[in-house]
Every structure is written in structure tokens, then in C-alpha cells.
Amino acid sequence: MVETSAGGESLLFLTDENIRKGVEAMFFAYRGFTADPDRILEGMAYGRAHHRAVHFIHRSPGTTVGNLLAILGVTKQSLNRVLRSLFDDGLVEARVGKKDKRERHLYLTEKGAELERSLSDAQRARMRAAYRAAGPAAVQGFRTVLEAMMDPEQRRQYLTLKEGAP
């Protein structure tokens, strides 16, 4: 029997087999999506945590360490290890907060911005090619699916970023 919704359309896309295919496609797409930046970072002894930190510092210049912790969902110890290497290599700088001197606001240096640009350019090229192949309706559907998969707090953070910086 074919499942149908109240409107009568087929819900075959909800079968376990189609869900499994989607999960597997997500795994392989993620591998592809991260492969280009991984190759760039490999020669620098950096990993995906460094990439994520650089990405979100770029997206929200002046973000605090606490905000970055919330966005990345990592431990303070883990983030400190990543930030220490980015500071030591001159990619990120911390400025003392104007209102609260205990806060450290994070900014990419020129060198950090160059790294972010090379990482993002690689991922944007892959996304652009996939979007072009899929078409506008599929792109909107893809975004809708991704947003629906987010936990409420993640979705709030995403929407804040989406509406915020470039």
C-alpha cells in the first residue's frame, strides 16, 4: 500500500529505503564537501575544527569565545587548543571587550582572512556546481530539509547568522 498525505500525494519519499539512501548520500556528500578544505589544511597541521573556527570568526567578526563555543558545540579545552594554534600562527587575534574587559573578541588577521577565503572558495565552487546541476527548486528543497533537521537551538543560531554578517 502506498502512503498518502491528507492532500492525496504519494509519500513514497518517506520509506525506510529512501531515508537510508538520504542518510548515505549525506555521509558521502559531507566527505566531498570537506575534502577540498581538508587538502588545504593538511599541509598546515590543521583540521576541521580549525576550519570551523575560522569560518565562524569570519562570519561574525568580534564574536566572543563564549559565542564560538555555543556555535561549535565543543568543549572549552578543545576550542582553546584550536584557538591557541590560530593565535600562534597569526591567523586570529583577540581584542579585549570594550564593555566587559573579561571578554575576548575574535577577529581574523589578514593572513587568517586569506586562509578563510581559500577554504570557502573551494567549498563554494563545489556548492555552486551542485546547485547549478540541481536547479533552484531542488536548492530550496535542500535548504528546507537541512533546516528541518536542525535542533531548535542550532536553528536559532543558524537563522541569526543567516540574517547577520555576509
Side-chain angles (χ1 to χ4, degrees):
M1 178 171 157
V2 175
E3 270 187 89
T4 57
S5 72
E9 67 268 10
S10 171
L11 297 180
L12 287 175
F13 62 94
L14 293 176
T15 64
D16 285 348
E17 179 64 12
N18 278 327
I19 299 295
R20 182 193 58 75
K21 286 178 182 178
V23 168
E24 290 173 358
M26 191 105 133
F27 282 128
F28 285 103
Y30 181 73
R31 280 181 55 193
F33 183 69
T34 56
D36 301 319
D38 285 352
R39 280 190 283 280
I40 294 168
L41 294 169
E42 192 175 286
M44 305 175 76
Y46 289 163
R48 290 181 187 160
H50 295 86
H51 180 193
R52 287 189 293 271
V54 166
H55 174 85
F56 286 107
I57 294 168
H58 168 75
R59 282 288 284 141
S60 299
T63 191
T64 63
V65 172
N67 188 49
L68 196 56
L69 278 168
I71 290 170
L72 298 177
V74 297
T75 65
K76 197 171 193 175
Q77 181 181 13
S78 174
L79 181 59
N80 282 338
R81 199 171 20 252
V82 166
L83 288 176
R84 189 174 18 254
S85 63
L86 294 173
F87 289 141
D88 291 348
D89 293 341
L91 299 169
V92 172
E93 64 183 17
R95 300 178 195 160
V96 175
K98 291 179 180 158
K99 293 179 183 173
D100 185 344
K101 302 290 184 204
R102 296 170 297 175
E103 285 186 339
R104 292 187 311 167
H105 295 266
L106 304 173
Y107 296 88
L108 294 181
T109 63
E110 190 173 317
K111 186 177 172 185
E114 288 173 24
L115 174 61
E116 189 284 327
R117 200 169 17 263
S118 69
L119 297 169
S120 291
D121 284 351
Q123 287 185 314
R124 276 193 299 270
R126 188 177 288 265
M127 288 292 279
R128 189 170 285 111
Y131 278 11
R132 188 174 288 121
V139 169
Q140 183 55 50
F142 172 67
R143 201 170 298 124
T144 299
V145 168
L146 292 177
E147 289 177 13
M149 290 175 58
M150 295 175 193
D151 290 336
E153 178 59 19
Q154 293 168 335
R155 184 172 168 77
R156 187 193 64 71
Q157 291 171 338
Y158 165 74
L159 290 173
T160 300
L161 282 171
K162 186 174 153 183
E163 296 161 2

